[in-house]
Structure formats: structure tokens, C-alpha cells
Amino acid sequence: MFRELATQDTRAGAQAIPVIAIDGPSASGKGAVAWDVAQRLDFHYLESGALYRLVAFAAAQQHVAIDNEDALATLASNLNARFAGQQIFLGEKSVGDAIRAETVAAGASQVAALPGVRDALLSRQRAFRQAPGLVAEGRDMGSTVFPDADLKIFLTASAAERAARRVKQLKEKGMRASLPDILRDIQQRDTRDSSRRVAPLQMCADASLLDTTSLTISEVAAEVVRRYRQSLAHGPP
Ligand code: DC
């Protein structure tokens, strides 16, 4: 009885903590925008795609086949991952850059299509909901992980613009990148992420659309904060 009450209290408490859910396709700028918004509001930050990338990365390291759902779900449940600001650790190792590789992205997209893996990562994602608030970015933040989010934003940008951004990002990190290859990868990933059976990438009915094609990260972040403040004052935009 007491435990039941305690669970209810915790859940009610967690729901009182505001969440801004930012979803969108690969390279729509979600990561940088969500981080910027989190800084502006002094909120916590969840990059959910990193969890799928970590599963794919760990699977490759441990020679787990990318279609072995049970083994991948176990791996996802036991993932020894730690986030420190924008830094990401797997065990003691800093893997923030390694998981950005396009090979890891392709693996992440495959493991993300497995329901067992998604289930295994659900409670881990919800645990990021801590006071004073959370900015969570990914594909299903508004639809599945935080359906009660205070503000749901769906970011878009043309595939060509997103490919150009990704090439620039990779080059800045000293990695090789070819625009036609990246564009093809992005288009393939978009198709896989939006056509998969479980939690496909799609804009929720109650999300608000924000096209970032001709905007800077900072302009987009300012607009998200504006919509958040407006939703506090008047309800969702
Ligand atoms: O955002 P990203 O490129 O780091 O995501 C990597 C992969 O993980 C991408 O193919 C989509 C998938 N993903 C997902 O299915 N659900 C999320 N909430 C976040 C990412």
C-alpha cells in the first residue's frame, strides 16, 4: 500500500517536471538546438539518439549481431553509459566522437527498429526527467517517451541542407565525408526511421512544426524558448 502510494507520488512528481520534446529527422539540428535550449533554460538534456548509437557501438565491440534482438535488448538494458553535459562515456571510455561515425549511425538505425531494444531504453530515457526540467531530443520523444511533454517541437530541414550540415560537422571533426554519400545515407535513414513498425519518425498531432532550413541554431533555439514561454502563458501554441 505504502509502496503503491510512493510510486504514484513519484510519478505525479515526475509529471510536474516540465519536458520540451524535440523530434525530427537526421541532421535536422535537433542535437545542437536542444542543447542550446537546455542552456538557456538551465534544464537537463537528453540526446536519445546517442543511446541507440551506444547500443550499436557496443554491439560491434562485443561482436553481437546487429539483428540479434534478444542479445541487443540485454546489451541495451545493461549499457554502462554515462552522460556528462555533452560528453558521453561507455564504461570509462569517452566515446562521444566515436559514436558519430556514419557506420555507427547506420547500426543505430537498425537497432532502433527492434522493439526489444526500444523497450529496454524507455525507462532509462524517462529517468532523465529531473527538476528543474528536461529538453529531450530524438524521434519519438513527443509520441512515446514523453507523451505528456509541455511542448512538442518537430524540426525539419530539406535533405540537401541536412546533408550539407552533416558533411561540415564531420569535416570539422577531421573525418572524411562525401556529400553524395551522406545525402544517400540520410535519405535511406529517413525512409527506414519513418517506415519502421515500432515508433516510426512522425510528427505528433500536438507538435508544433519548425523548419530550420534557413535558420541558425541560435535562432531556432530562441524560437523554441519563445514557444515554450508562450505555452506556459497560454497553453500549447
Ligand atoms: O539522432 P541520431 O542520428 O543520433 O539517431 C541515431 C539513430 O537512432 C537514428 O537512425 C534514429 C534512431 N533513433 C530513434 O529511433 N529514436 C530516438 N528517439 C532517437 C534516435
Side-chain angles (χ1 to χ4, degrees):
M1 164 81 156
F2 276 131
R3 185 173 306 153
E4 239 177 66
L5 278 178
T7 313
Q8 280 170 5
D9 279 356
T10 313
R11 209 178 301 139
Q15 281 174 356
I17 297 170
V19 176
I20 299 178
I22 302 183
D23 290 301
S26 293
S28 55
K30 300 182 305 283
V33 168
W35 174 255
D36 193 332
V37 172
Q39 299 312 296
R40 287 169 194 246
L41 296 171
D42 214 9
F43 277 13
H44 296 278
Y45 165 67
L46 166 63
E47 182 201 350
S48 60
L51 291 170
Y52 293 95
R53 286 172 183 264
L54 283 166
V55 172
F57 182 78
Q61 278 195 327
Q62 296 174 29
H63 308 290
V64 174
I66 209 75
D67 58 354
N68 185 341
E69 183 165 357
D70 288 346
L72 290 166
T74 304
L75 199 154
S77 301
N78 300 324
L79 208 57
N80 183 12
R82 189 165 57 82
F83 292 77
Q86 277 181 305
Q87 278 192 298
I88 300 168
F89 295 87
L90 193 56
E92 291 308 305
K93 224 173 135 205
S94 168
V95 296
D97 283 341
I99 63 166
R100 303 289 154 214
E102 286 301 299
T103 47
V104 178
S109 172
Q110 284 172 277
V111 302
L114 304 172
V117 171
R118 303 199 74 84
D119 282 353
L121 293 178
L122 201 54
S123 56
R124 190 185 280 256
Q125 294 174 82
R126 290 186 174 147
F128 279 77
R129 188 173 200 165
Q130 302 276 342
L134 174 68
V135 183
E137 60 98 342
R139 305 294 192 289
D140 61 342
M141 297 299 98
S143 60
T144 308
V145 183
F146 301 108
D148 63 333
D150 300 77
L151 177 67
K152 300 180 185 180
I153 296 281
F154 193 85
L155 291 188
T156 54
S158 67
E161 168 70 19
R162 289 186 283 129
R165 286 180 190 169
R166 184 50 59 90
V167 166
K168 187 164 168 270
Q169 237 175 34
L170 291 171
K171 286 197 171 151
E172 279 167 6
K173 292 199 158 106
M175 297 183 188
R176 283 180 39 211
S178 127
L179 185 61
D181 287 354
I182 300 274
L183 179 58
R184 196 201 49 228
D185 288 353
I186 282 187
Q187 285 166 333
Q188 280 175 353
R189 220 176 312 149
D190 279 357
T191 308
R192 188 163 39 209
D193 292 343
S194 48
S195 62
R196 68 177 177 222
R197 224 167 14 89
V198 217
L201 170 69
Q202 53 184 222
M203 183 171 148
C204 311
D206 55 349
S208 89
L209 183 69
L210 183 43
D211 189 332
T212 72
T213 305
S214 55
L215 298 177
T216 64
I217 300 294
S218 170
E219 286 168 336
V220 179
E223 174 60 16
V224 173
V225 170
R226 192 192 66 74
R227 291 186 192 185
Y228 175 61
R229 297 221 158 102
Q230 190 183 38
S231 76
L232 291 181
H234 308 290

